[in-house]
């Protein structure tokens, strides 16, 4: 036992060598103390979090500093995702990313608006030359905000290598006080085949965790046999934030030998969707809880390190096993889980009967399913495993299994709409019916002749839907023929159901104006500081179009000195 403990301690020392990343090259991008609402590689829906989310005290407008000298190499402004984002490339080959910004620093803001007006588009992506927008370490390059898909004001900060792979910014010296070890809320065991079992069952079993006084855990002794996988629900907390954050490293040991390791220090965007293979995807879709697998079932993720038996436990009859899990945060605060396993073979179990259907999907082969006017093209390697798929068509409703299996590649769903009137064809779209209420959500649909097609990475229920309702437009902070001389902003509320807003165009006296769109508040905002409007009498015209082509036009007069 002492030898095993020595091996574990030795490994914990050599597993975390002194960082080879520059420690004094980058400064904190904010001038306030660092507190995180999100950590690097945290588990998110369909992806790993690619940076850290630095709290801004529920406020916007804090100065965002260039973490090192370099040049602005990319600027992207979108309605969703990162919102307003800035990319700075540095001489050492790394690139820092600053996202969900409120606005850019004046010189950069002017550069962006110039191109937005030239392209007559709020959404824009720019790649300045190395000499266009140079910055020095500590320069103010933007102001923190809540743009894009952000749910609350914060700064999303990334460091990427020269292959555009995000790395944990804390590797470079970004410091956050953390003396609190990770915590574990659940542990599960998975029998991996028909002959395997845990506590006399052939299906997933939740194991009983026993908290210890020192913060570690033991597990109520279990009886098992055959090939077993373990899954864990674990999070971390920093000292000054209550958020449930992601952990940094997980290792498992069987009888003193390392069995598995997850190392959350770097990943690539190309692989991030494989998070759905790392977690128990079905459990997540049903319970909204992330169970991380501590075994590798043919997952190509680079964060999974090669180890003994890919993390699986092969339990033999009449044998005893000691299984340990070590969960670390970045500051190397460890939490240990100890589990004793007794191997007992049970030949009287009745394995769970697998449901079969007429549609057997082979993961490594392309498949086309067709019924009535609906066809589904499943491309090679769209799934991880072979399985029997539920496939039914009722009128214009398609049941394509349920959304409890992860999809690697897009699946094409097509409808033959030749039986619809020509006037209706223009307003048809394919909807994903979600939740118990089967609420229709627009799935990007493309029409070619009498074929309407959508690409999706989600199984579930789909249907043809029609949208004949144009968007709604109403003024937010002004009235028709009002004097607005003292206003800095004009605000207009826009909305559309059911297909959603596709685009908009606003002009004043025939000149295009830049209106920023915040989809969270459904608000368009124009800033008079643009200097475009110089007349006293002004005719504002706004055209808003939804995803199937319905449009609404709003016109009003306002006056300004």
């Amino acid at each position: 036992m002492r030898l095993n403990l020595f091996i574990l301690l030795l490994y914990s020392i050599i597993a975390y060598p002194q960082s080879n990343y520059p420690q004094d090259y980058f400064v904190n991008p904010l001038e306030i103390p660092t507190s995180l609402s999100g950590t690097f590689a945290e588990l998110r829906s369909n992806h790993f979090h690619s940076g850290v989310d630095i709290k801004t005290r529920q406020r916007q407008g804090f100065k965002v500093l260039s973490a090192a000298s370099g040049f602005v190499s990319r600027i992207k402004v979108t309605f969703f995702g990162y919102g307003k984002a800035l990319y700075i490339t540095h001489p050492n080959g790394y690139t820092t990313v600053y996202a969900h910004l409120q606005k850019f620093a004046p010189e950069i803001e002017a550069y962006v608006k110039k191109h937005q007006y030239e392209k007559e588009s709020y959404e824009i992506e720019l790649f300045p030359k190395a000499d266009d927008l140079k910055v020095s370490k500590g320069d103010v390059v933007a102001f923190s905000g809540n743009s894009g898909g952000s749910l609350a004001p914060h700064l999303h900060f990334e460091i990427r290598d020269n292959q555009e792979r995000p790395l944990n910014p804390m590797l470079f010296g970004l410091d956050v006080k953390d003396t609190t070890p990770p915590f574990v809320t659940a542990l599960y065991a998975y029998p991996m085949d028909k002959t395997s079992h845990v506590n006399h069952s052939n299906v997933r079993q939740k194991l009983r965790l026993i908290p210890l006084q020192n913060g570690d855990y033991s597990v109520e002794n279990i009886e098992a046999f055959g090939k077993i996988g373990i899954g864990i629900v674990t999070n971390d907390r920093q000292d000054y934030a209550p958020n449930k954050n992601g952990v940094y490293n997980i290792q498992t040991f069987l009888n003193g030998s390392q069995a598995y390791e997850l190392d959350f220090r770097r990943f690539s965007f190309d692989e991030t969707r494989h998070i759905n293979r790392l977690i128990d995807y079905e459990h997540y879709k049903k319970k909204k809880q992330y169970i991380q697998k501590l075994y590798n079932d043919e997952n190509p993720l680079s964060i999974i390190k090669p180890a003994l038996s890919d993390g699986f436990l092969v339990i033999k009859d009449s044998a005893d096993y000691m299984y340990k899990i070590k969960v670390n945060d970045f500051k190397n605060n460890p939490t240990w889980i100890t589990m004793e396993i007794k191997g007992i073979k049970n030949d009287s179990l009745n394995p769970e009967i697998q449901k079969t259907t007429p549609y057997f999907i082979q993961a490594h082969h392309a498949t086309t399913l067709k019924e009535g006017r609906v066809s589904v093209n499943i491309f090679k390697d769209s799934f991880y495993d072979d399985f029997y798929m539920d496939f039914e068509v009722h009128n214009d409703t398609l049941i394509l299994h349920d959304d409890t299996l992860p999809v690697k590649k897009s699946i094409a769903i097509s409808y033959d709409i030749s039986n619809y009137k020509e006037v209706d064809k223009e307003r048809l779209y394919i909807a994903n019916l979600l939740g118990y209420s089967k609420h229709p959500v627009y799935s990007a649909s493309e029409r070619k002749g009498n074929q309407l097609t959508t690409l999706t990475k989600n199984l579930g229920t789909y249907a043809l839907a029609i949208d004949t309702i144009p968007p709604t437009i109403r003024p937010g902070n002004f009235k028709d023929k009002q004097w607005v001389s003292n206003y800095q902003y004009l605000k207009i509320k826009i909305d559309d159901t059911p297909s959603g807003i596709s685009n908009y165009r606003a002009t004043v006296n025939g000149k295009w104006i830049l209106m920023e769109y915040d989809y969270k508040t459904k608000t368009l905002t124009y800033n008079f500081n643009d200097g475009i409007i110089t007349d006293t009498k002004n005719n504002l015209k706004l055209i808003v179009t939804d995803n199937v082509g319905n449009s609404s036009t709003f016109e009003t007069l306002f006056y300004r000195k």
Side-chain angles (χ1 to χ4, degrees):
M1 188 67 183
R2 289 183 177 178
L3 178 60
N4 288 341
L5 181 60
F6 173 77
I7 292 172
L8 293 178
L9 291 173
L10 178 63
Y11 185 83
S12 68
I13 294 172
I14 64 175
Y16 297 94
Q18 183 68 30
S19 173
N20 293 320
Y21 302 96
Q23 297 300 292
D24 300 316
Y25 192 87
F26 297 110
V27 297
N28 194 319
L30 293 173
E31 295 176 313
I32 58 177
T34 302
S35 177
L36 302 183
S37 59
T39 53
F40 181 79
E42 204 167 79
L43 308 183
R44 301 286 177 89
S45 179
N46 296 317
H47 70 285
F48 295 102
H49 189 226
S50 56
V52 293
D53 288 342
I54 305 176
K55 290 190 171 190
T56 57
R57 304 172 182 173
Q58 296 296 314
R59 291 160 48 195
Q60 301 187 48
F62 285 100
K63 294 177 181 178
V64 176
L65 312 179
S66 177
S69 297
F71 68 95
V72 177
S73 55
R74 183 183 178 194
I75 305 167
K76 191 171 184 180
V77 179
T78 59
F79 302 140
F80 310 106
Y82 282 6
K84 294 183 179 181
L86 196 66
Y87 301 70
I88 298 176
T89 296
H90 307 283
N92 65 352
Y94 292 102
T95 296
T96 50
V97 183
Y98 315 77
H100 305 307
L101 303 170
Q102 180 190 57
K103 60 182 178 180
F104 305 108
E107 181 185 1
I108 302 171
E109 186 81 6
Y111 180 92
V112 173
K113 285 193 174 182
K114 175 179 179 292
H115 286 85
Q116 286 174 317
Y117 272 97
E118 287 176 355
K119 295 179 180 293
E120 296 191 354
S121 174
Y122 170 68
E123 289 197 301
I124 198 166
E125 185 171 17
L126 302 170
F127 297 92
K129 297 177 182 178
D131 293 331
D132 288 346
L133 296 170
K134 291 183 177 180
V135 295
S136 297
K137 188 175 189 174
D139 281 356
V140 176
V141 292
F143 296 87
S144 67
N146 189 33
S147 60
S150 171
L151 298 178
H154 71 277
L155 175 66
H156 175 88
F157 177 66
E158 295 179 20
I159 299 179
R160 300 182 184 180
D161 65 16
N162 57 10
Q163 296 181 54
E164 281 293 301
R165 294 175 300 187
L167 301 104
N168 191 333
M170 297 179 73
L171 291 166
F172 296 83
L174 181 70
D175 192 36
V176 179
K177 186 173 182 181
D178 184 1
T179 60
T180 307
F183 58 96
V184 180
T185 54
L187 203 66
Y188 293 84
Y190 294 80
M192 302 306 299
D193 53 45
K194 293 180 180 180
T195 62
S196 303
H197 51 84
V198 175
N199 290 340
H200 312 291
S201 175
N202 185 243
V203 298
R204 182 187 65 205
Q205 294 293 300
K206 186 173 183 179
L207 306 177
R208 182 171 175 261
L209 280 170
I210 304 172
L212 304 177
Q213 288 187 346
N214 65 354
D216 293 336
Y217 302 84
S218 65
V219 179
E220 191 171 65
N221 292 352
I222 66 172
E223 297 177 352
F225 176 79
K227 189 177 182 181
I228 307 298
I230 302 296
I232 189 171
V233 181
T234 182
N235 294 97
D236 186 41
R237 281 199 180 103
Q238 286 79 47
D239 288 13
Y240 300 133
N243 306 78
K244 294 181 180 180
N245 296 134
V247 301
Y248 181 67
N249 185 277
I250 305 176
Q251 301 165 46
T252 70
F253 304 88
L254 183 64
N255 293 340
S257 297
Q258 186 182 357
Y260 187 78
E261 182 179 7
L262 285 173
D263 183 16
F264 296 99
R265 70 176 59 203
R266 184 185 70 190
F267 64 88
S268 70
F269 289 108
D270 290 342
E271 63 177 340
T272 189
R273 193 173 176 87
H274 293 305
I275 186 177
N276 292 334
R277 183 66 163 181
L278 177 68
I279 64 172
D280 182 334
Y281 186 76
E282 179 179 7
H283 182 85
Y284 168 71
K285 297 302 289 189
K286 291 180 177 179
K287 302 293 185 181
K288 298 304 177 186
Q289 183 185 51
Y290 291 110
I291 302 175
Q292 298 182 63
K293 298 175 184 175
L294 300 182
Y295 55 91
N296 184 5
D297 50 352
E298 300 182 11
N299 192 333
L301 276 172
S302 62
I303 65 171
I304 301 174
K305 303 305 176 185
L308 178 70
S309 301
D310 283 329
F312 292 106
L313 313 182
V314 181
I315 308 300
K316 296 180 180 180
D317 190 27
S318 303
D320 295 330
Y321 300 84
M322 179 67 71
Y323 180 72
K324 288 181 176 286
I325 305 169
K326 182 186 179 188
V327 185
N328 264 75
D329 59 23
F330 184 81
K331 288 300 184 77
N332 209 22
N333 298 301
T335 296
W336 286 91
I337 305 142
T338 301
M339 179 195 313
E340 294 184 14
I341 305 171
K342 190 172 187 62
I344 297 180
K345 186 177 182 181
N346 188 335
D347 294 321
S348 63
L349 289 176
N350 293 317
E352 186 179 29
I353 298 175
Q354 183 181 23
K355 177 184 176 181
T356 61
T357 73
Y359 308 99
F360 184 68
I361 305 302
Q362 294 178 288
H364 301 306
H365 293 82
T367 305
T368 298
L369 306 176
K370 186 171 177 24
E371 185 174 332
R373 296 181 179 274
V374 183
S375 62
V376 178
N377 287 322
I378 300 171
F379 306 105
K380 180 182 176 182
D381 294 323
S382 291
F383 297 99
Y384 293 96
D385 302 307
D386 300 344
F387 69 103
Y388 287 96
M389 174 178 278
D390 289 323
F391 174 74
E392 300 177 38
V393 177
H394 304 283
N395 296 321
D396 285 335
T397 299
L398 163 67
I399 299 173
L400 191 63
H401 210 74
D402 55 38
D403 189 18
T404 56
L405 286 176
V407 182
K408 286 195 289 184
K409 295 181 180 179
S410 294
I411 294 169
I413 299 173
S414 297
Y415 280 80
D416 178 351
I417 58 173
S418 57
N419 59 323
Y420 280 84
K421 295 178 181 178
E422 198 62 35
V423 67
D424 292 333
K425 292 178 184 178
E426 297 294 332
R427 300 295 178 258
L428 287 173
Y429 67 96
I430 299 173
N432 188 191
L433 306 185
L434 299 180
Y436 293 108
S437 63
K438 299 301 179 185
H439 173 69
V441 174
Y442 176 79
S443 183
S445 307
E446 181 180 1
R447 181 187 169 196
K448 290 184 179 180
N450 286 320
Q451 288 289 315
L452 191 65
T453 301
T454 188
L455 295 175
T456 181
K457 288 185 178 178
N458 295 97
L459 299 174
T461 304
Y462 290 82
L464 269 187
I466 190 166
D467 180 4
T468 59
I469 305 170
T472 59
I473 306 173
R474 58 185 179 87
N477 66 339
F478 67 97
K479 298 178 181 178
D480 187 37
K481 299 179 182 178
Q482 181 178 340
W483 283 87
V484 293
S485 300
N486 296 324
Y487 284 36
Q488 183 178 348
Y489 303 103
L490 277 186
K491 295 181 180 292
I492 299 177
K493 295 281 188 177
I494 63 174
D495 196 9
D496 183 78
T497 53
S499 66
I501 301 294
S502 172
N503 58 72
Y504 60 90
R505 179 180 174 81
T507 59
V508 169
N509 299 333
K511 294 180 181 179
W512 184 85
I513 60 169
L514 174 65
M515 298 202 81
E516 298 191 7
Y517 178 45
D518 183 350
Y519 78 94
K520 298 188 291 287
T521 61
K522 302 176 181 179
T523 302
L524 290 173
T525 302
Y526 172 71
N527 188 341
F528 283 109
N529 288 342
D530 278 3
I532 300 299
I533 297 174
T534 57
D535 296 333
T536 300
K537 181 179 179 180
N538 297 281
N539 178 37
L540 170 64
K541 183 177 182 180
L542 172 65
I543 302 173
V544 180
T545 306
D546 66 20
N547 279 303
V548 297
N550 298 305
S551 65
S552 296
T553 300
F554 170 80
E555 291 193 72
T556 188
L557 285 174
F558 66 86
Y559 298 90
R560 182 177 174 85
K561 288 185 179 178

